[in-house]
Amino acid sequence: MYTAFCERLGLDHGIFAFSHCRDVVAAVSNNGGMGVLGAGWMSAETLAAELDWIDAQVGDKPYGVDVVIPERYEGMEETESGALEKRLWKQVPAEHLEFARRLLSDHGVPEWPEEEALSQPDLPGATYATALPLIDVALAHPKCRILVNALGTPPREVIERVQGSGRLIGALCGRVKQAVAHKEAGLDFVIAQGGEGGGHAGEIASIVLWPQVVDAVAPLPMLAAGGIGNGRQMLAAMATGAAGVWTGSLWVTVAEAAGEPAQKASYLNATSEDTVRSRSWTGKTARVLRNAWTEAWDNPETVAPLPMPLQFLVAADARRRTERYAGVADTQAVAMNPAGQVIGQIDRIESCRDAVYRLLSEYADALEQVNSRGPNEG
């Protein structure tokens, strides 16, 4: 599990852990891999505080930051975040906000505390204008060694700025042509995520996508994502030519993860058949756990989800309320729980350290098993 890409980043092994939880990011980096903080829903102030905390935990270990700059979205011509936010809120139909409020009320989710109430939740960093302040913060933290864009090829000026700072920049892709576009734009690496993956993913299966992307972008490093939860799957990814593995669902139930017990229970009780690709949370198709929220929005007889980032705004109140009140009433029925199909094999809580070394041990065992097979063995 040690590749030239690991050497370039100063890693002991090629396990990359995407998480919205700073504790997970720090723990994985401290155990020889690279934690990558998902910053797409954070304000610049929140991200700065999170990275300051990570800096204090990781010593000289590196970590990464993942932002969200879609290539196409509503209001993309607006470059000032405050003006964009006001403009986008005006485009959100009242019936969509009422539909979301009714779903929360029907499932007993408590209201947001009045003393903390804002007129509207903040606009998530899912546009060029809102992502730029996050990039500023990331580049102000020297231990942040990679920037990743979760949706599409980053703008040219972002690529040049990140690379000019001495860092590496990459992006996720779900199709070969997207990977080629990343390479042609000058990115340093690509992350090929199969349709099994959680969050925003394409439709092509991982084991089909990975080798095609490796061939299409060579010699650019490819990190394999989508469906990796044990060492056997990690070996399969490396066998296709991957320079490392990008994991996400694996970390939602670890001891360090910030999720409430009720949310972790939803993940631990889920099967691989319990995920669905839905536009109900972000406006773009994302794989999450199926529940009453996804079914209500995906019902053709109800209101349809809006494009990104408008649906982000519609769902913003639901995200914050279901996160805070995860174990109250029937909150999990309308909670946002992103997960890939690999969630069906994640059935226990373990520490990040144990997860990392389990992966490495299983990888070594699987490799030994393959190498020891005789010519007459299946």
Side-chain angles (χ1 to χ4, degrees):
M1 275 300 292
Y2 188 74
T3 65
F5 192 57
C6 298
E7 182 177 12
R8 188 176 181 186
L9 289 171
L11 308 180
D12 295 335
H13 47 75
I15 297 175
F16 293 75
F18 169 84
S19 176
H20 292 288
C21 176
R22 66 185 189 182
D23 299 71
V24 173
V25 171
V28 174
S29 287
N30 281 331
N31 282 284
M34 177 173 278
V36 181
L37 185 66
W41 301 336
M42 297 181 185
S43 67
E45 294 74 19
T46 297
L47 179 60
E50 298 289 88
L51 297 190
D52 287 346
W53 185 91
I54 293 173
D55 281 348
Q57 306 302 314
V58 299
D60 61 353
K61 302 293 185 181
Y63 60 85
V65 170
D66 180 289
V67 298
V68 182
I69 311 176
E71 289 188 274
R72 289 178 296 278
Y73 56 88
E74 292 294 319
M76 61 186 299
E77 66 280 2
E78 179 61 68
T79 59
E80 199 280 310
S81 60
L84 175 62
E85 183 170 356
K86 292 178 182 178
R87 174 180 171 184
L88 291 176
W89 271 113
K90 291 179 181 179
Q91 296 181 44
V92 177
E95 64 175 327
H96 283 69
L97 294 173
E98 177 56 32
F99 187 64
R101 281 193 287 265
R102 189 165 63 249
L103 281 171
L104 297 177
S105 176
D106 289 348
H107 290 86
V109 182
E111 295 285 341
W112 191 254
E114 288 187 10
E115 62 272 17
E116 299 180 33
L118 302 173
S119 58
Q120 297 160 330
D122 291 336
L123 176 67
T127 69
Y128 177 68
T130 53
L132 284 181
L134 302 180
I135 294 170
D136 291 341
V137 170
L139 296 183
H141 290 75
K143 297 175 189 178
C144 174
R145 299 309 305 158
I146 67 170
L147 267 290
V148 175
N149 186 31
L151 280 175
T153 305
R156 164 51 54 186
E157 57 271 26
V158 171
I159 297 172
E160 293 177 349
R161 187 175 174 210
V162 172
Q163 292 175 335
S165 73
R167 295 168 174 84
L168 304 184
I169 184 168
L172 277 79
C173 64
R175 292 185 287 176
V176 174
K177 73 174 186 178
Q178 293 171 338
V180 172
H182 292 343
K183 179 182 181 181
E184 292 176 345
L187 298 191
D188 298 296
F189 63 97
V190 300
I191 302 158
Q193 177 166 261
E196 305 99 317
H200 297 111
E203 299 180 359
I204 304 172
S206 293
I207 201 66
V208 175
L209 179 66
W210 295 337
Q212 291 189 62
V213 171
V214 167
D215 293 343
V217 303
L220 215 60
M222 185 277 287
L223 301 181
I228 299 173
N230 63 35
R232 288 175 292 165
Q233 291 159 331
M234 199 158 66
L235 178 60
M238 300 303 287
T240 67
V245 294
W246 178 275
T247 53
S249 299
L250 177 63
W251 310 104
V252 296
T253 62
V254 293
E256 294 89 341
E260 294 292 326
Q263 183 183 33
K264 290 187 179 182
S266 292
Y267 285 126
L268 292 170
N269 294 329
T271 70
S272 295
E273 292 77 27
D274 290 331
T275 70
V276 63
R277 297 176 71 241
S278 172
R279 295 177 53 235
S280 62
W281 287 103
T282 72
K284 286 186 179 291
T285 303
R287 188 176 293 282
V288 296
L289 293 186
R290 180 188 292 107
N291 59 17
W293 176 278
T294 63
E295 291 181 350
W297 283 99
D298 295 341
N299 185 340
E301 297 181 0
T302 62
V303 294
L306 300 170
M308 179 181 272
L310 299 181
Q311 189 67 18
F312 253 133
L313 298 179
V314 172
D317 188 47
R319 283 196 308 275
R320 64 179 181 177
R321 287 166 61 184
T322 57
E323 180 177 334
R324 172 168 291 193
Y325 303 112
V328 178
D330 196 23
T331 292
Q332 286 302 300
V334 286
M336 182 182 184
N337 293 325
Q341 290 178 336
V342 75
I343 199 69
Q345 70 186 55
I346 298 172
D347 58 4
R348 64 187 182 277
I349 294 176
E350 57 186 344
S351 70
C352 288
R353 177 182 174 82
D354 286 347
V356 167
Y357 287 98
R358 172 178 60 79
L359 287 174
L360 294 173
S361 177
E362 291 170 347
Y363 174 87
D365 290 345
L367 182 59
E368 181 179 0
Q369 183 181 33
V370 170
N371 289 335
S372 65
R373 282 181 175 168
N376 297 320
E377 293 185 79

